[in-house]
Amino acid sequence: MALLPILKFPDPRLHTVAKPVQEVDDRIRKLVKDMAETMYDAPGVGLAATQVDVHERVVVIDVSESGNELLVLINPEITWKSEELKVYEEGCLSVPDTYDKVERAANIRFKAQNEKGEWYEKEADGLLAVCVQHELDHLDGKVFVEYLSVLKRERIRSRLRKQQREALKAGQ
């Protein structure tokens, strides 16, 4: 297993739409393990393959308190969303130290394949529903800050670019 580098907003690769996984094979299983290790190390509760510059429809999530209930979503698809909306404060491993409120469906149903290639369906609410919607946005090339006002998004973009420039200078 290996830690994978996480792309940071405003990297244009974060806007790449992920392609479906054609076959759940050893390469995909290794990707899942590496993504899980990266997510836990970050630490985060979800990670989409797009965030590690792999543009295939793969997501790992663990919203458990104990951090030992890994959920693998390969070729995930939301099949139903409630009309009821809820506002949650979200953060993202690709947008460090940034949290803001986003309105999403309160309840969802989704289907996906696990690391064995078996299809399953699951209903979700609360943090899991938010996380699934957030990570599937990544697979569709969307970052959560795009739900925010243009002003907020530009402030975040400027701050992160400045941090990246400072990190490059420090590394030279």
Side-chain angles (χ1 to χ4, degrees):
M1 292 196 292
L3 291 178
L4 304 170
I6 297 172
L7 299 178
K8 304 291 188 241
F9 180 80
D11 192 310
R13 293 172 289 180
L14 288 168
H15 298 292
T16 305
V17 176
K19 293 179 174 29
V21 171
Q22 296 303 314
E23 180 185 358
V24 180
D25 54 14
D26 287 342
R27 179 184 66 83
I28 294 297
R29 284 186 277 279
K30 180 181 183 331
L31 174 63
V32 165
K33 285 180 182 165
D34 291 347
M35 285 175 58
E37 184 178 350
T38 302
M39 176 189 71
Y40 288 127
D41 182 71
V45 296
L47 187 67
T50 302
Q51 293 176 270
V52 293
D53 203 20
V54 176
H55 303 286
E56 294 182 85
R57 298 189 74 79
V58 178
V59 167
V60 293
I61 293 174
D62 189 340
V63 295
S64 70
E65 290 289 323
S66 54
N68 65 353
E69 296 176 25
L70 184 67
L71 186 60
V72 175
L73 292 77
I74 299 170
N75 294 322
E77 180 184 324
I78 294 173
T79 57
W80 174 83
K81 289 182 179 185
S82 66
E83 289 184 26
E84 178 190 356
L85 301 175
K86 220 164 184 183
V87 175
Y88 292 92
E89 187 163 85
E90 295 187 26
C92 180
L93 296 176
S94 290
V95 191
D97 306 317
T98 303
Y99 301 89
D100 215 315
K101 292 176 173 49
V102 176
E103 186 177 61
R104 297 191 185 269
N107 301 284
I108 63 167
R109 186 176 307 119
F110 66 93
K111 67 177 186 177
Q113 290 172 279
N114 62 21
E115 61 273 25
K116 296 176 187 170
E118 302 162 337
W119 285 95
Y120 67 95
E121 197 163 353
K122 189 170 179 66
E123 290 191 19
D125 61 8
L127 181 57
L128 180 58
V130 170
C131 197
V132 170
Q133 291 172 85
H134 176 111
E135 299 307 333
L136 268 62
D137 274 354
H138 277 300
L139 297 181
D140 293 332
K142 189 169 186 176
V143 181
F144 95 97
V145 295
E146 292 171 46
Y147 288 98
L148 307 179
S149 70
V150 172
L151 179 62
K152 279 186 178 182
R153 193 167 49 245
E154 288 309 312
R155 283 184 183 153
I156 292 166
R157 184 186 317 267
S158 295
R159 179 176 52 82
L160 292 175
R161 281 193 173 135
K162 182 180 177 188
Q163 287 174 356
Q164 290 168 352
R165 283 192 304 271
E166 289 171 356
L168 283 173
K169 282 182 187 175
Q172 292 178 342

